[in-house]
């Protein structure tokens, strides 16, 4: 910055250091006009480049980049004009303040450029590598980039103003400890959110079990957002459940799609003791094979679980293509098996009790006991 201002001083000296006020105003207006013309030219060039690069598939440049470059060029020209005006009118009192304000304002396009750079790295580097470390780092930078850029700009601005920032940093450390004790639950969720991003027990789009769903509603759903404080899960009833990250890290996480979208589904079926078990098993397999989303390999399998009080407990085990059709599979198999059993005479039993009444007074006269009689 000092080097730039030296060159600006040389430009101003070209007009004469002891210029009159009217000449200073003329030079100031001339500087403003030159900066305006230069900005219009640069804006036109960047707009033309932004329109042309879209036709080249090999050049993966977002048009937003040229918009940010236009804004950055405008801010830079405003800063140059401001510095020249300060030097022309000898307003050294406000020079440091002007530089500090410019640094704070320039933080916005810097943050936008950083986000575009991170997106480029994620698209061209992170997704092509086998390790997850670069993905984690980019995710964290995406979430904290704004805070990092603005905090850095604030420190530099204070340094330009001549303010010693060390006492502020020390005070921020002490205040951070106090805030940590006061907001330990929030910080706990924040740390848990970072651990979720690093450990990745689930990702956006995964189907997981929801233990805190409202009573009587669906108990599983899809992850739609992993925030630093909480995770949002949309159940199959289209209800969004927001769970604090700290609670997620202390519970068992059931993820149905972390490895693949295929899962095995178990359907319990009971048949009567006197039913033809071989025929019943064949009918159950026939019901499973009639659904197009049930995988033929591994083949559907029927096993005997145990002998119940009134039925033989069978279990159908099938693999399905999409874990999201788990409940549809159970419903379809149950309905189809019931129809096939009815058509083929296979009984689905219900609990039965045989009651035998024994008359202890058989053949003896029945005498009703009076209340005043001894037992």
């Amino acid at each position: 910055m000092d080097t730039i201002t030296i060159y600006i001083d040389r430009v101003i000296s070209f007009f004469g250091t002891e210029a009159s006020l009217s000449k200073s105003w003329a030079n100031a207006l001339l500087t403003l006009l030159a900066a305006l013309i230069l900005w219009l030219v640069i804006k036109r060039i960047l707009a033309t480049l932004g329109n042309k690069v879209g036709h080249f598939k090999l050049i993966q440049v977002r048009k937003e980049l040229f918009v940010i470059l236009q804004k950055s060029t405008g801010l830079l020209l405003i800063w140059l004009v401001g510095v020249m005006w300060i030097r022309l009118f000898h307003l050294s009192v406000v020079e440091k303040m002007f530089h500090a304000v410019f640094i704070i304002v320039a933080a916005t396009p810097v943050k936008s450029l950083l986000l575009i750079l991170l997106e480029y790295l994620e698209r061209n580097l992170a997704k092509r590598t086998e390790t997850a470390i670069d993905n984690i780092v980019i995710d964290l930078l995406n979430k904290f980039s704004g805070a990092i850029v603005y905090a850095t700009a604030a420190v530099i601005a204070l340094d330009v103003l001549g303010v010693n920032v060390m006492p502020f940093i020390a005070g921020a450390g002490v205040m951070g400890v106090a805030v940590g004790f006061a907001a330990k639950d929030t910080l706990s969720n924040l740390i848990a959110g970072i651990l979720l991003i690093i450990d990745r027990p689930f990702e956006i789009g995964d189907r997981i079990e929801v233990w805190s769903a409202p009573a009587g509603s669906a108990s599983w759903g899809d992850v739609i957002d992993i925030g630093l404080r909480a995770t949002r899960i949309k159940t199959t009833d289209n209800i969004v459940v927001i769970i604090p990250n700290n609670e997620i890290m202390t519970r068992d996480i059931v993820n149905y799609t972390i490895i693949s979208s295929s899962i095995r589904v178990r359907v319990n079926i009971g048949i009567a003791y006197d039913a033809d078990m071989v025929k019943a098993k064949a009918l159950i397999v026939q019901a499973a094979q009639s659904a197009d989303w049930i995988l033929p390999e591994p083949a559907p399998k029927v096993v005997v679980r145990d002998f119940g009080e009134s039925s033989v407990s069978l279990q159908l085990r099938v693999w399905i293509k999409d874990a999201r059709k788990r409940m549809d599979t159970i419903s379809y198999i149950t309905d189809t098996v019931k129809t096939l059993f009815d058509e083929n005479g296979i009984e689905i039993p219900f609990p039965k009790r045989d009651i035998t009444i024994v008359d202890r007074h058989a053949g003896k006269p029945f005498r009703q006991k009076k209340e005043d009689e001894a037992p």
Side-chain angles (χ1 to χ4, degrees), residues 130-201:
E130 297 180 356
T131 61
I133 302 299
D134 45 8
N135 294 319
I136 296 169
V137 172
I138 291 176
D139 284 342
L140 291 176
L141 287 176
N142 274 323
K143 294 181 180 297
F144 290 103
S145 59
I148 293 173
V149 170
Y150 285 116
T152 304
V155 172
I156 296 175
L158 289 174
D159 184 65
V160 169
L161 291 173
V163 178
N164 186 9
V165 297
M166 292 307 298
F168 291 97
I169 296 175
V174 175
M175 185 176 64
V177 174
V179 172
F181 282 107
K184 59 180 181 179
D185 293 336
T186 302
L187 290 177
S188 177
N189 288 324
L190 179 64
I191 295 173
I194 295 175
L195 292 177
L196 281 176
I197 295 175
I198 295 175
D199 190 41
R200 291 182 181 271

Side-chain angles (χ1 to χ4, degrees), residues 115-373:
L115 290 176
I116 291 178
L117 176 61
L118 291 174
E119 181 184 354
Y120 175 81
L121 292 176
E122 183 179 8
R123 184 174 65 249
N124 295 277
L125 177 63
K127 292 184 178 180
R128 297 181 181 179
T129 57
E130 297 180 356
T131 61
I133 302 299
D134 45 8
N135 294 319
I136 296 169
V137 172
I138 291 176
D139 284 342
L140 291 176
L141 287 176
N142 274 323
K143 294 181 180 297
F144 290 103
S145 59
I148 293 173
V149 170
Y150 285 116
T152 304
V155 172
I156 296 175
L158 289 174
D159 184 65
V160 169
L161 291 173
V163 178
N164 186 9
V165 297
M166 292 307 298
F168 291 97
I169 296 175
V174 175
M175 185 176 64
V177 174
V179 172
F181 282 107
K184 59 180 181 179
D185 293 336
T186 302
L187 290 177
S188 177
N189 288 324
L190 179 64
I191 295 173
I194 295 175
L195 292 177
L196 281 176
I197 295 175
I198 295 175
D199 190 41
R200 291 182 181 271
F202 51 78
E203 296 183 356
I204 294 177
D206 281 354
R207 173 65 60 94
I208 69 172
E209 198 75 29
V210 184
W211 58 87
S212 59
S217 65
S219 62
W220 62 344
D222 298 327
V223 180
I224 59 176
D225 180 65
I226 304 174
L228 290 177
R229 192 197 67 83
T231 297
R232 290 172 172 83
I233 302 169
K234 186 175 74 172
T235 68
T236 52
D237 292 338
N238 202 30
I239 299 173
V240 176
V241 181
I242 303 175
I243 306 176
N245 291 329
N246 187 34
E247 183 179 347
I248 292 177
M249 294 300 294
T250 58
R251 298 292 297 263
D252 294 335
I253 300 174
V254 181
N255 193 330
Y256 292 93
T257 56
I258 188 172
I259 298 176
S260 69
S261 60
S262 300
I263 63 169
R264 187 166 68 174
V265 178
R266 302 166 184 255
V267 184
N268 296 323
I269 302 170
I271 61 173
Y273 275 97
D274 57 355
D276 187 343
M277 184 176 296
V278 175
K279 185 177 181 180
K281 287 184 176 181
L283 293 174
I284 294 173
V285 172
Q286 178 183 341
Q289 291 174 342
S290 64
D292 56 358
W293 67 85
I294 294 179
L295 296 173
E297 291 295 334
K301 183 179 181 181
V302 182
V303 299
V304 179
R305 295 184 63 204
D306 55 35
F307 296 103
E309 294 183 0
S310 58
S311 65
V312 179
S313 299
L314 305 180
Q315 187 180 79
L316 170 66
R317 300 174 180 178
V318 296
W319 285 86
I320 59 176
K321 298 178 182 179
D322 188 0
R324 291 167 176 80
K325 295 184 72 66
R326 175 171 170 264
M327 293 305 300
D328 293 337
T329 302
I330 296 175
S331 175
Y332 176 82
I333 292 295
T334 304
D335 185 33
T336 307
V337 167
K338 175 65 169 61
T339 302
L340 291 176
F341 279 8
D342 290 344
E343 293 174 354
N344 292 272
I346 303 295
E347 181 184 356
I348 300 176
F350 51 87
K352 297 178 181 179
R353 296 290 185 272
D354 292 332
I355 301 175
T356 302
I357 301 175
V358 178
D359 187 0
R360 296 181 179 179
H361 303 282
K364 297 180 181 179
F366 178 77
R367 186 171 65 91
Q368 186 176 4
K369 184 172 58 176
K370 296 181 179 180
E371 292 181 0
D372 56 348
E373 252 182 21

